[in-house]
Amino acid sequence: LKEATGCEGVNILQNNGEIAGQSVFHLHIHVIPRYSKDDANIKWTPGTQDVDKLNAIAEKVQKILQEWFENLENYSVLKRNMS
């Protein structure tokens, strides 16, 4: 994309949920060429987040994923046993 457009950088973006800017409700990926003087407003300042809060969220996500995979494994075993 940089070679084709001459852009200086690229954002690859997937919005998930209306509050995050999703307007078409299926999975799609935006590939946005970026230029030093463009007006795209995609900003995030690294290092400004509450690390304790992020760690608490990460623990919750890990627990949810662990439960999800355990349920998936149990479902797969049940399905195999029913065949």
Side-chain angles (χ1 to χ4, degrees):
L1 186 60
K2 289 171 86 173
E3 185 178 335
T5 66
C7 67
E8 300 162 55
V10 177
N11 284 110
I12 300 174
L13 178 68
Q14 193 276 320
N15 299 326
N16 194 347
E18 187 173 353
I19 195 70
Q22 184 178 14
S23 60
V24 179
F25 294 92
H26 63 259
L27 177 66
H28 60 282
I29 308 294
H30 301 267
V31 180
I32 305 166
R34 298 298 307 271
Y35 305 88
S36 60
K37 295 184 181 185
D38 66 25
D39 61 354
N41 190 17
I42 303 169
K43 304 293 181 197
W44 173 65
T45 306
T48 61
Q49 292 68 39
D50 179 337
V51 174
D52 292 332
K53 187 174 182 180
L54 291 176
N55 287 334
I57 292 169
E59 286 179 24
K60 287 180 183 180
V61 170
Q62 288 172 344
K63 189 174 190 176
I64 290 167
L65 288 173
Q66 182 178 7
E67 291 172 2
W68 188 84
F69 281 113
E70 287 171 0
N71 288 336
L72 181 63
E73 183 178 311
N74 291 338
Y75 173 76
S76 297
V77 169
L78 178 64
K79 190 173 176 183
R80 248 192 327 264
N81 290 338
M82 292 178 73
S83 337

